[in-house]
Amino acid sequence: PNGGSSVGSVSVSLATATSGATIRYTTDNTAVTATSPAYSSALTLSANTTLRVRAFKSGMSESAEASASFNVAVATPTITPNGGSYIGSTNVTLATATSGATLRYTTNNSAVTSGSPAYSSALTFTSNTTLRVKAFKAGMSDSAESTASFTVEPSVAATPTISPGGGTYNDSVSVSLGTTTTSGTIRYTIDNTAVTASSPIYSSAFTLSQSATVRAKTFKSGVTESPEASASFTVKKFDVVINGSGQVGISWSGARSYAEIEEQMGSGSWTSAYGGGASGSVTLDRPNGTYNYRLKDCLVTGGQSGTSTSCDYWTQIRTVTISNPVVATPSITPNGGSSVGSVSVSLATAT
């Protein structure tokens, strides 16, 4: 061809219309003379070359000089394997068809330059990587860039996250689980038993309405199950209701050592209504009215002797109203008065 760009090498043929003429050429961009190399068969150019050519024949003036520029690039590198998904790690080899070329590469998805690391032996990837490669050789144009993306998952599934990571809550708490293992399945328990491959599968956030220890693992086929994550939740329950007999029913759980229940009728003063353990229930008879109840949570420390006690009020205040029917006031017949000898009296009620 009459110049142009090629990869690896290019075959060039020379010709003249003058029968019997000798074609002479240079490949170093020097002028062609009668002593320059004589052309006999196709030339193979494997580097950037400016080819200059003339034809010579005895008894005739030499021809005008023809020239053509050839841009020959290093062969595009190959990447084996050419990307894909792997577990644990993968080994990658690089090659080019251009003998003597230097392969250079990057693993952070940045462009390859003449200052990038030189390839010498197989590369090992243990995490997600975008590999970019070029080949360089003096006297030739840089190769085109090859690229391949590798997804490498750890050989052990990622430990799940538990959010929130435990703690103390009033009434209930919503718990979410997560994992960074692609397509991994999270299994969990809330009764503090070990997680197995047959434990319930997590699909969406769940609500704890009582104290529990959540334990979770990630599972994926072909990958070792994750280490177990765990988080402990204390859920403070404090419920006050009016039962079917018109009594105040109080129940609680989640106190530290014991609980004290305090009562307020209307806007009156707070008074002690009951004392009990860390959890329990009690029924109170109260006349009609509106009542507020609060719980004081107490912690005893110092061993069996209980040398120190600290108490804190829970934030919940429960309010109930008792409105039991009132028996009608009795009637007295006759309703008093004066009598002689004796008097017969009748009593009655409308209830």
Side-chain angles (χ1 to χ4, degrees):
N2 190 27
S5 297
S6 303
V7 175
S9 65
V10 58
S11 180
V12 181
S13 299
L14 308 178
T16 178
T18 300
S19 178
T22 298
I23 299 174
R24 295 182 181 277
Y25 66 94
T26 62
T27 57
D28 58 359
N29 201 22
T30 58
V32 181
T33 69
T35 59
S36 297
Y39 172 77
S40 59
S41 60
L43 306 174
T44 299
L45 305 179
S46 56
N48 294 339
T49 302
T50 298
L51 179 63
R52 297 169 69 171
V53 184
R54 276 187 177 176
F56 297 81
K57 186 175 182 179
S58 178
M60 298 181 70
S61 297
E62 62 191 50
S63 72
E65 188 177 86
S67 68
S69 294
F70 295 87
N71 182 14
V72 182
V74 180
T76 303
T78 58
I79 301 173
T80 305
N82 193 28
S85 296
Y86 303 89
I87 293 175
S89 66
T90 183
N91 292 325
V92 180
T93 57
L94 310 179
T96 178
T98 301
S99 177
T102 299
L103 293 163
R104 295 183 181 275
Y105 66 94
T106 64
T107 56
N108 60 357
N109 201 25
S110 61
V112 182
T113 69
S114 58
S116 298
Y119 172 79
S120 59
S121 59
L123 307 173
T124 299
F125 299 145
T126 57
S127 60
N128 294 346
T129 302
T130 297
L131 176 65
R132 297 170 68 170
V133 186
K134 267 189 177 181
F136 298 81
K137 186 176 181 180
M140 300 181 72
S141 298
D142 302 344
S143 74
E145 187 176 89
S146 298
T147 185
S149 294
F150 297 85
T151 300
V152 183
E153 290 193 47
S155 57
V156 178
T159 304
T161 57
I162 303 175
S163 181
T168 300
Y169 301 87
N170 292 331
D171 299 322
S172 66
V173 58
S174 179
V175 180
S176 298
L177 308 180
T179 181
T180 58
T181 298
T182 304
S183 301
T185 298
I186 301 174
R187 295 180 180 271
Y188 69 101
T189 63
I190 59 173
D191 58 359
N192 202 24
T193 58
V195 180
T196 69
S198 59
S199 297
I201 295 175
Y202 172 80
S203 59
S204 60
F206 54 90
T207 299
L208 296 177
S209 55
Q210 60 184 12
S211 298
T213 296
V214 177
R215 298 168 68 171
K217 277 187 177 183
T218 303
F219 295 81
K220 183 177 180 178
S221 177
V223 175
T224 302
E225 65 190 52
S226 75
E228 187 177 88
S230 67
S232 294
F233 296 85
T234 298
V235 178
K236 298 176 179 179
K237 297 289 289 182
F238 181 43
D239 295 317
V240 180
V241 299
I242 303 299
N243 64 25
S245 301
Q247 300 167 305
V248 178
I250 303 173
S251 61
W252 69 94
S253 63
R256 292 171 296 174
S257 297
Y258 68 91
E260 293 182 1
I261 310 298
E262 294 186 348
E263 175 185 69
Q264 179 190 48
M265 183 175 182
S267 58
S269 300
W270 287 95
T271 59
S272 178
Y274 185 79
S279 62
S281 63
V282 64
T283 300
L284 304 175
D285 286 311
R286 292 292 184 267
N288 289 349
T290 297
Y291 297 85
N292 297 317
Y293 292 91
R294 65 185 182 185
L295 185 146
K296 188 161 63 173
D297 177 10
C298 297
L299 173 66
V300 178
T301 57
Q304 293 182 347
S305 60
T307 56
S308 177
T309 300
S310 61
C311 298
D312 298 297
Y313 285 105
W314 285 2
T315 59
Q316 305 108 310
I317 292 180
R318 306 305 191 202
T319 301
V320 293
T321 299
I322 300 175
S323 56
N324 293 323
V326 178
V327 177
T329 303
S331 61
I332 304 172
T333 305
N335 190 25
S338 298
S339 302
V340 176
S342 64
V343 60
S344 178
V345 179
S346 299
L347 305 178
T349 178
T351 301

